[in-house]
Amino acid sequence: MTSRSHPERDCVESVQAVLDWLDGHDGVDASTESLDGAFALLADQRRRLLLTVMRTYGEELTLPDAAEEVAVRETGRKVTNIPAERVREVYLSLYHDHLPRLVDAGLLEYDQERDLVAPDAV
């Protein structure tokens, strides 16, 4: 028998916590399709980080500011210690991939003309 490393134990505990939460929320639409969609949205770390940034600030941010904050959280460094190319790469991936998915899901709003991201006011 092998002992589990801490990341594996954390994963198991996280899965168990989600399953416990689902068991306790019978009124929540927990159809397979809606759960699969939710897990697909949350599967990517960068999307989770963007959602966390927007929840932390709770107000509109420019997409460049949001990209900087996501890069800070990805690297664990101060923004002044992150190469501009890295922040640019984060911005482009948010703009072209992650942000449209989150907007389509109704989790964020985006004003392209002003390049502003806002948490959805649901």
Side-chain angles (χ1 to χ4, degrees), residues 35-78:
L35 285 175
D36 288 349
F39 288 131
L41 282 172
L42 295 173
D44 188 271
Q45 179 189 28
R46 193 164 280 171
R47 279 195 293 276
R48 291 191 310 271
L49 288 173
L50 179 57
L51 288 169
T52 301
V53 165
M54 297 311 299
R55 287 177 57 125
T56 299
Y57 286 89
E59 61 186 16
E60 292 180 335
L61 290 177
T62 66
L63 186 53
D65 287 344
E68 282 185 353
E69 188 63 30
V70 168
V72 164
R73 292 171 189 231
E74 281 182 347
T75 63
R77 299 156 138 186
K78 294 180 180 181

Side-chain angles (χ1 to χ4, degrees), residues 9-22:
R9 186 176 25 221
D10 291 345
C11 179
V12 169
E13 290 171 2
S14 295
V15 169
Q16 289 174 339
V18 168
L19 292 173
D20 290 344
W21 182 87
L22 289 170

Side-chain angles (χ1 to χ4, degrees), residues 2-119:
T2 60
S3 65
R4 289 188 181 137
S5 66
H6 293 292
E8 288 174 341
R9 186 176 25 221
D10 291 345
C11 179
V12 169
E13 290 171 2
S14 295
V15 169
Q16 289 174 339
V18 168
L19 292 173
D20 290 344
W21 182 87
L22 289 170
D23 285 343
H25 289 81
D26 293 330
V28 175
D29 177 19
S31 70
T32 301
E33 187 176 307
S34 66
L35 285 175
D36 288 349
F39 288 131
L41 282 172
L42 295 173
D44 188 271
Q45 179 189 28
R46 193 164 280 171
R47 279 195 293 276
R48 291 191 310 271
L49 288 173
L50 179 57
L51 288 169
T52 301
V53 165
M54 297 311 299
R55 287 177 57 125
T56 299
Y57 286 89
E59 61 186 16
E60 292 180 335
L61 290 177
T62 66
L63 186 53
D65 287 344
E68 282 185 353
E69 188 63 30
V70 168
V72 164
R73 292 171 189 231
E74 281 182 347
T75 63
R77 299 156 138 186
K78 294 180 180 181
V79 72
T80 54
N81 294 331
I82 301 172
E85 185 56 36
R86 173 69 184 261
V87 175
R88 182 177 181 276
E89 183 272 323
V90 170
Y91 174 91
L92 290 172
S93 76
L94 293 176
Y95 181 83
H96 289 289
D97 183 18
H98 306 297
L99 185 57
R101 293 173 194 243
L102 297 170
V103 169
D104 288 346
L107 293 167
L108 297 177
E109 295 177 355
Y110 180 60
D111 179 342
Q112 186 173 10
E113 204 169 285
R114 296 172 41 213
D115 208 15
L116 288 175
V117 181

